[in-house]
Amino acid sequence: MIRRPPRSTLDRSSAASDVYKRQVLLRTYLVTALGMFDHPDGFEVLVRATEEDVTEVKVKAVESLGLLADRNPEMDMSVLKEYLTVLSKDRESVVRKMCAYVMGVVADEDFIGDPPGRPGPLVMLLEDVNRDVTYIAATALARMGSGEGLGTLNRMLTANVDRPDILQEEEEGLQAFKAETLVIGALQSMKQLITINNQVDMTSSLPHLEVLTRSKVLQIQVVAVEIKRLIENR
């Protein structure tokens, strides 16, 4: 016969779990608040928070560091660059995804490196096992005027909303929404890339853009036509 633990033991365990959850929620709230306000000690506290074992806190800390960096471009980015490089190899994909986004905000050339021989951490994230991480890395690179992520952007364009079945989601409505979001995100990044750096060879995107000019979604069709024209008229 299996003996159940005393009720008091279960109550203590449940109470301890509730306290832990509240502590995590509080720390998450605090690092979020530090990103919203330019507190003089905020940067140091947020950097230490990226060493947390709790994923939720770590992700919010990285996001808040990105907000501080975006509002204070004159700040010394050397420490932040070092931490982002380390966190880009974190075991949790949500942390790596946020790192990719913040690297695009900081926009330091060291994140690109000198590929293919010496790729920076952001370029290396294009090979991540998680597709969402590669998508964020590609859009971040485009924001920096780098064409290193163009191949990934082209793959994002194949998530055509007219073919939502290519995304392995359970709900058909979610398939269509995610496909549309991916395509629009890729198109916006391509437009940004060609605006910042018109020297990037984007001819590999033309076949995908041609397909999208016939999309049933008007926004995708219009932007695809615009980008296709920009590439052809260079």
PDB file of all heavy atoms in Angstrom, residues 87-112:
ATOM      1  N   LEU A  87      25.251  34.954 -24.022  1.00  0.00           N
ATOM      2  CA  LEU A  87      23.848  34.550 -23.954  1.00  0.00           C
ATOM      3  C   LEU A  87      23.315  34.048 -25.294  1.00  0.00           C
ATOM      4  O   LEU A  87      22.310  33.346 -25.332  1.00  0.00           O
ATOM      5  CB  LEU A  87      22.998  35.715 -23.455  1.00  0.00           C
ATOM      6  CG  LEU A  87      23.184  36.071 -21.985  1.00  0.00           C
ATOM      7  CD1 LEU A  87      22.527  37.414 -21.675  1.00  0.00           C
ATOM      8  CD2 LEU A  87      22.596  34.993 -21.091  1.00  0.00           C
ATOM      9  N   SER A  88      23.989  34.396 -26.388  1.00  0.00           N
ATOM     10  CA  SER A  88      23.545  33.894 -27.700  1.00  0.00           C
ATOM     11  C   SER A  88      23.730  32.387 -27.808  1.00  0.00           C
ATOM     12  O   SER A  88      23.213  31.758 -28.740  1.00  0.00           O
ATOM     13  CB  SER A  88      24.314  34.598 -28.819  1.00  0.00           C
ATOM     14  OG  SER A  88      25.684  34.225 -28.810  1.00  0.00           O
ATOM     15  N   LYS A  89      24.441  31.802 -26.829  1.00  0.00           N
ATOM     16  CA  LYS A  89      24.638  30.348 -26.798  1.00  0.00           C
ATOM     17  C   LYS A  89      23.856  29.701 -25.655  1.00  0.00           C
ATOM     18  O   LYS A  89      24.095  28.544 -25.309  1.00  0.00           O
ATOM     19  CB  LYS A  89      26.129  30.033 -26.645  1.00  0.00           C
ATOM     20  CG  LYS A  89      26.984  30.611 -27.764  1.00  0.00           C
ATOM     21  CD  LYS A  89      28.466  30.444 -27.486  1.00  0.00           C
ATOM     22  CE  LYS A  89      29.316  31.121 -28.547  1.00  0.00           C
ATOM     23  NZ  LYS A  89      30.766  31.052 -28.243  1.00  0.00           N
ATOM     24  N   ASP A  90      22.927  30.457 -25.066  1.00  0.00           N
ATOM     25  CA  ASP A  90      22.132  29.947 -23.950  1.00  0.00           C
ATOM     26  C   ASP A  90      21.334  28.714 -24.373  1.00  0.00           C
ATOM     27  O   ASP A  90      20.956  28.565 -25.536  1.00  0.00           O
ATOM     28  CB  ASP A  90      21.173  31.036 -23.452  1.00  0.00           C
ATOM     29  CG  ASP A  90      20.548  30.710 -22.115  1.00  0.00           C
ATOM     30  OD1 ASP A  90      21.151  31.070 -21.085  1.00  0.00           O
ATOM     31  OD2 ASP A  90      19.476  30.082 -22.094  1.00  0.00           O
ATOM     32  N   ARG A  91      21.074  27.834 -23.427  1.00  0.00           N
ATOM     33  CA  ARG A  91      20.353  26.596 -23.753  1.00  0.00           C
ATOM     34  C   ARG A  91      18.886  26.846 -24.103  1.00  0.00           C
ATOM     35  O   ARG A  91      18.241  26.016 -24.755  1.00  0.00           O
ATOM     36  CB  ARG A  91      20.444  25.601 -22.589  1.00  0.00           C
ATOM     37  CG  ARG A  91      19.722  26.019 -21.332  1.00  0.00           C
ATOM     38  CD  ARG A  91      19.835  24.958 -20.237  1.00  0.00           C
ATOM     39  NE  ARG A  91      19.091  25.319 -19.043  1.00  0.00           N
ATOM     40  CZ  ARG A  91      19.544  26.085 -18.083  1.00  0.00           C
ATOM     41  NH1 ARG A  91      20.774  26.587 -18.166  1.00  0.00           N
ATOM     42  NH2 ARG A  91      18.805  26.367 -17.022  1.00  0.00           N
ATOM     43  N   GLU A  92      18.346  27.981 -23.648  1.00  0.00           N
ATOM     44  CA  GLU A  92      16.937  28.293 -23.907  1.00  0.00           C
ATOM     45  C   GLU A  92      16.798  29.124 -25.177  1.00  0.00           C
ATOM     46  O   GLU A  92      17.410  30.177 -25.312  1.00  0.00           O
ATOM     47  CB  GLU A  92      16.336  29.054 -22.720  1.00  0.00           C
ATOM     48  CG  GLU A  92      16.309  28.272 -21.420  1.00  0.00           C
ATOM     49  CD  GLU A  92      15.314  27.119 -21.450  1.00  0.00           C
ATOM     50  OE1 GLU A  92      14.440  27.101 -22.343  1.00  0.00           O
ATOM     51  OE2 GLU A  92      15.412  26.238 -20.575  1.00  0.00           O
ATOM     52  N   SER A  93      15.961  28.654 -26.100  1.00  0.00           N
ATOM     53  CA  SER A  93      15.800  29.351 -27.381  1.00  0.00           C
ATOM     54  C   SER A  93      15.203  30.746 -27.213  1.00  0.00           C
ATOM     55  O   SER A  93      15.520  31.653 -27.986  1.00  0.00           O
ATOM     56  CB  SER A  93      14.927  28.525 -28.337  1.00  0.00           C
ATOM     57  OG  SER A  93      13.623  28.335 -27.804  1.00  0.00           O
ATOM     58  N   VAL A  94      14.340  30.948 -26.199  1.00  0.00           N
ATOM     59  CA  VAL A  94      13.738  32.275 -26.010  1.00  0.00           C
ATOM     60  C   VAL A  94      14.798  33.301 -25.627  1.00  0.00           C
ATOM     61  O   VAL A  94      14.693  34.482 -25.974  1.00  0.00           O
ATOM     62  CB  VAL A  94      12.616  32.241 -24.945  1.00  0.00           C
ATOM     63  CG1 VAL A  94      11.386  31.552 -25.470  1.00  0.00           C
ATOM     64  CG2 VAL A  94      13.094  31.616 -23.645  1.00  0.00           C
ATOM     65  N   VAL A  95      15.825  32.854 -24.911  1.00  0.00           N
ATOM     66  CA  VAL A  95      16.924  33.750 -24.546  1.00  0.00           C
ATOM     67  C   VAL A  95      17.745  34.090 -25.790  1.00  0.00           C
ATOM     68  O   VAL A  95      18.091  35.250 -26.029  1.00  0.00           O
ATOM     69  CB  VAL A  95      17.827  33.111 -23.470  1.00  0.00           C
ATOM     70  CG1 VAL A  95      19.030  34.018 -23.172  1.00  0.00           C
ATOM     71  CG2 VAL A  95      17.039  32.851 -22.190  1.00  0.00           C
ATOM     72  N   ARG A  96      18.042  33.070 -26.601  1.00  0.00           N
ATOM     73  CA  ARG A  96      18.818  33.305 -27.829  1.00  0.00           C
ATOM     74  C   ARG A  96      18.045  34.216 -28.785  1.00  0.00           C
ATOM     75  O   ARG A  96      18.628  35.077 -29.452  1.00  0.00           O
ATOM     76  CB  ARG A  96      19.143  31.971 -28.516  1.00  0.00           C
ATOM     77  CG  ARG A  96      19.939  31.014 -27.653  1.00  0.00           C
ATOM     78  CD  ARG A  96      20.536  29.886 -28.459  1.00  0.00           C
ATOM     79  NE  ARG A  96      19.574  29.098 -29.211  1.00  0.00           N
ATOM     80  CZ  ARG A  96      18.889  28.070 -28.729  1.00  0.00           C
ATOM     81  NH1 ARG A  96      19.060  27.688 -27.470  1.00  0.00           N
ATOM     82  NH2 ARG A  96      18.038  27.400 -29.496  1.00  0.00           N
ATOM     83  N   LYS A  97      16.742  34.038 -28.838  1.00  0.00           N
ATOM     84  CA  LYS A  97      15.903  34.873 -29.709  1.00  0.00           C
ATOM     85  C   LYS A  97      15.949  36.338 -29.273  1.00  0.00           C
ATOM     86  O   LYS A  97      16.090  37.238 -30.114  1.00  0.00           O
ATOM     87  CB  LYS A  97      14.469  34.348 -29.701  1.00  0.00           C
ATOM     88  CG  LYS A  97      13.523  35.072 -30.630  1.00  0.00           C
ATOM     89  CD  LYS A  97      12.247  34.265 -30.879  1.00  0.00           C
ATOM     90  CE  LYS A  97      11.454  34.039 -29.621  1.00  0.00           C
ATOM     91  NZ  LYS A  97      10.157  33.400 -29.910  1.00  0.00           N
ATOM     92  N   MET A  98      15.846  36.580 -27.965  1.00  0.00           N
ATOM     93  CA  MET A  98      15.899  37.949 -27.470  1.00  0.00           C
ATOM     94  C   MET A  98      17.283  38.545 -27.693  1.00  0.00           C
ATOM     95  O   MET A  98      17.422  39.737 -28.000  1.00  0.00           O
ATOM     96  CB  MET A  98      15.528  37.985 -25.987  1.00  0.00           C
ATOM     97  CG  MET A  98      15.442  39.387 -25.405  1.00  0.00           C
ATOM     98  SD  MET A  98      14.255  40.465 -26.293  1.00  0.00           S
ATOM     99  CE  MET A  98      12.704  39.711 -25.785  1.00  0.00           C
ATOM    100  N   CYS A  99      18.324  37.718 -27.562  1.00  0.00           N
ATOM    101  CA  CYS A  99      19.690  38.191 -27.827  1.00  0.00           C
ATOM    102  C   CYS A  99      19.830  38.664 -29.269  1.00  0.00           C
ATOM    103  O   CYS A  99      20.437  39.697 -29.538  1.00  0.00           O
ATOM    104  CB  CYS A  99      20.693  37.064 -27.575  1.00  0.00           C
ATOM    105  SG  CYS A  99      21.214  36.945 -25.877  1.00  0.00           S
ATOM    106  N   ALA A 100      19.284  37.879 -30.192  1.00  0.00           N
ATOM    107  CA  ALA A 100      19.352  38.243 -31.609  1.00  0.00           C
ATOM    108  C   ALA A 100      18.676  39.589 -31.840  1.00  0.00           C
ATOM    109  O   ALA A 100      19.202  40.450 -32.561  1.00  0.00           O
ATOM    110  CB  ALA A 100      18.701  37.162 -32.463  1.00  0.00           C
ATOM    111  N   TYR A 101      17.527  39.782 -31.222  1.00  0.00           N
ATOM    112  CA  TYR A 101      16.801  41.042 -31.384  1.00  0.00           C
ATOM    113  C   TYR A 101      17.613  42.227 -30.837  1.00  0.00           C
ATOM    114  O   TYR A 101      17.765  43.257 -31.502  1.00  0.00           O
ATOM    115  CB  TYR A 101      15.449  40.963 -30.675  1.00  0.00           C
ATOM    116  CG  TYR A 101      14.721  42.287 -30.636  1.00  0.00           C
ATOM    117  CD1 TYR A 101      14.073  42.776 -31.775  1.00  0.00           C
ATOM    118  CD2 TYR A 101      14.712  43.065 -29.475  1.00  0.00           C
ATOM    119  CE1 TYR A 101      13.423  44.002 -31.749  1.00  0.00           C
ATOM    120  CE2 TYR A 101      14.071  44.290 -29.444  1.00  0.00           C
ATOM    121  CZ  TYR A 101      13.433  44.758 -30.580  1.00  0.00           C
ATOM    122  OH  TYR A 101      12.805  45.977 -30.563  1.00  0.00           O
ATOM    123  N   VAL A 102      18.165  42.066 -29.632  1.00  0.00           N
ATOM    124  CA  VAL A 102      18.908  43.154 -28.995  1.00  0.00           C
ATOM    125  C   VAL A 102      20.202  43.443 -29.750  1.00  0.00           C
ATOM    126  O   VAL A 102      20.626  44.591 -29.854  1.00  0.00           O
ATOM    127  CB  VAL A 102      19.179  42.834 -27.514  1.00  0.00           C
ATOM    128  CG1 VAL A 102      20.084  43.895 -26.881  1.00  0.00           C
ATOM    129  CG2 VAL A 102      17.867  42.753 -26.746  1.00  0.00           C
ATOM    130  N   MET A 103      20.843  42.410 -30.307  1.00  0.00           N
ATOM    131  CA  MET A 103      22.031  42.645 -31.126  1.00  0.00           C
ATOM    132  C   MET A 103      21.702  43.555 -32.299  1.00  0.00           C
ATOM    133  O   MET A 103      22.494  44.423 -32.682  1.00  0.00           O
ATOM    134  CB  MET A 103      22.591  41.315 -31.642  1.00  0.00           C
ATOM    135  CG  MET A 103      23.341  40.512 -30.604  1.00  0.00           C
ATOM    136  SD  MET A 103      23.971  38.970 -31.312  1.00  0.00           S
ATOM    137  CE  MET A 103      24.600  38.158 -29.847  1.00  0.00           C
ATOM    138  N   GLY A 104      20.518  43.380 -32.871  1.00  0.00           N
ATOM    139  CA  GLY A 104      20.092  44.240 -33.964  1.00  0.00           C
ATOM    140  C   GLY A 104      19.867  45.672 -33.507  1.00  0.00           C
ATOM    141  O   GLY A 104      20.100  46.617 -34.266  1.00  0.00           O
ATOM    142  N   VAL A 105      19.428  45.838 -32.267  1.00  0.00           N
ATOM    143  CA  VAL A 105      19.217  47.182 -31.703  1.00  0.00           C
ATOM    144  C   VAL A 105      20.559  47.860 -31.442  1.00  0.00           C
ATOM    145  O   VAL A 105      20.763  49.022 -31.801  1.00  0.00           O
ATOM    146  CB  VAL A 105      18.400  47.093 -30.390  1.00  0.00           C
ATOM    147  CG1 VAL A 105      18.347  48.465 -29.710  1.00  0.00           C
ATOM    148  CG2 VAL A 105      16.987  46.585 -30.666  1.00  0.00           C
ATOM    149  N   VAL A 106      21.489  47.116 -30.828  1.00  0.00           N
ATOM    150  CA  VAL A 106      22.813  47.670 -30.539  1.00  0.00           C
ATOM    151  C   VAL A 106      23.574  47.947 -31.840  1.00  0.00           C
ATOM    152  O   VAL A 106      24.315  48.920 -31.963  1.00  0.00           O
ATOM    153  CB  VAL A 106      23.615  46.702 -29.643  1.00  0.00           C
ATOM    154  CG1 VAL A 106      25.035  47.212 -29.420  1.00  0.00           C
ATOM    155  CG2 VAL A 106      22.904  46.509 -28.309  1.00  0.00           C
ATOM    156  N   ALA A 107      23.366  47.061 -32.823  1.00  0.00           N
ATOM    157  CA  ALA A 107      23.906  47.246 -34.180  1.00  0.00           C
ATOM    158  C   ALA A 107      25.416  47.454 -34.214  1.00  0.00           C
ATOM    159  O   ALA A 107      25.913  48.356 -34.887  1.00  0.00           O
ATOM    160  CB  ALA A 107      23.191  48.412 -34.875  1.00  0.00           C
ATOM    161  N   ASP A 108      26.141  46.612 -33.507  1.00  0.00           N
ATOM    162  CA  ASP A 108      27.599  46.691 -33.521  1.00  0.00           C
ATOM    163  C   ASP A 108      28.151  45.747 -34.589  1.00  0.00           C
ATOM    164  O   ASP A 108      27.717  44.604 -34.714  1.00  0.00           O
ATOM    165  CB  ASP A 108      28.153  46.310 -32.144  1.00  0.00           C
ATOM    166  CG  ASP A 108      29.628  46.629 -32.014  1.00  0.00           C
ATOM    167  OD1 ASP A 108      30.444  45.848 -32.549  1.00  0.00           O
ATOM    168  OD2 ASP A 108      29.966  47.645 -31.375  1.00  0.00           O
ATOM    169  N   GLU A 109      29.114  46.215 -35.350  1.00  0.00           N
ATOM    170  CA  GLU A 109      29.680  45.421 -36.447  1.00  0.00           C
ATOM    171  C   GLU A 109      30.299  44.115 -35.964  1.00  0.00           C
ATOM    172  O   GLU A 109      30.383  43.150 -36.720  1.00  0.00           O
ATOM    173  CB  GLU A 109      30.733  46.242 -37.197  1.00  0.00           C
ATOM    174  CG  GLU A 109      30.173  47.412 -37.990  1.00  0.00           C
ATOM    175  CD  GLU A 109      29.275  46.954 -39.134  1.00  0.00           C
ATOM    176  OE1 GLU A 109      29.601  45.945 -39.775  1.00  0.00           O
ATOM    177  OE2 GLU A 109      28.241  47.613 -39.370  1.00  0.00           O
ATOM    178  N   ASP A 110      30.745  44.070 -34.703  1.00  0.00           N
ATOM    179  CA  ASP A 110      31.327  42.834 -34.179  1.00  0.00           C
ATOM    180  C   ASP A 110      30.323  41.693 -34.151  1.00  0.00           C
ATOM    181  O   ASP A 110      30.703  40.519 -34.159  1.00  0.00           O
ATOM    182  CB  ASP A 110      31.881  43.061 -32.770  1.00  0.00           C
ATOM    183  CG  ASP A 110      33.167  43.878 -32.775  1.00  0.00           C
ATOM    184  OD1 ASP A 110      33.778  44.006 -33.854  1.00  0.00           O
ATOM    185  OD2 ASP A 110      33.555  44.392 -31.707  1.00  0.00           O
ATOM    186  N   PHE A 111      29.035  42.018 -34.096  1.00  0.00           N
ATOM    187  CA  PHE A 111      28.007  40.977 -34.098  1.00  0.00           C
ATOM    188  C   PHE A 111      27.926  40.289 -35.464  1.00  0.00           C
ATOM    189  O   PHE A 111      27.476  39.157 -35.574  1.00  0.00           O
ATOM    190  CB  PHE A 111      26.643  41.551 -33.725  1.00  0.00           C
ATOM    191  CG  PHE A 111      26.550  42.020 -32.301  1.00  0.00           C
ATOM    192  CD1 PHE A 111      25.834  43.159 -31.977  1.00  0.00           C
ATOM    193  CD2 PHE A 111      27.183  41.328 -31.281  1.00  0.00           C
ATOM    194  CE1 PHE A 111      25.739  43.594 -30.664  1.00  0.00           C
ATOM    195  CE2 PHE A 111      27.100  41.754 -29.961  1.00  0.00           C
ATOM    196  CZ  PHE A 111      26.369  42.891 -29.651  1.00  0.00           C
ATOM    197  N   ILE A 112      28.346  41.012 -36.502  1.00  0.00           N
ATOM    198  CA  ILE A 112      28.383  40.432 -37.852  1.00  0.00           C
ATOM    199  C   ILE A 112      29.692  39.697 -38.071  1.00  0.00           C
ATOM    200  O   ILE A 112      29.731  38.605 -38.647  1.00  0.00           O
ATOM    201  CB  ILE A 112      28.207  41.530 -38.923  1.00  0.00           C
ATOM    202  CG1 ILE A 112      26.872  42.253 -38.732  1.00  0.00           C
ATOM    203  CG2 ILE A 112      28.314  40.931 -40.331  1.00  0.00           C
ATOM    204  CD1 ILE A 112      26.677  43.431 -39.652  1.00  0.00           C
TER     205      ILE A 112
END
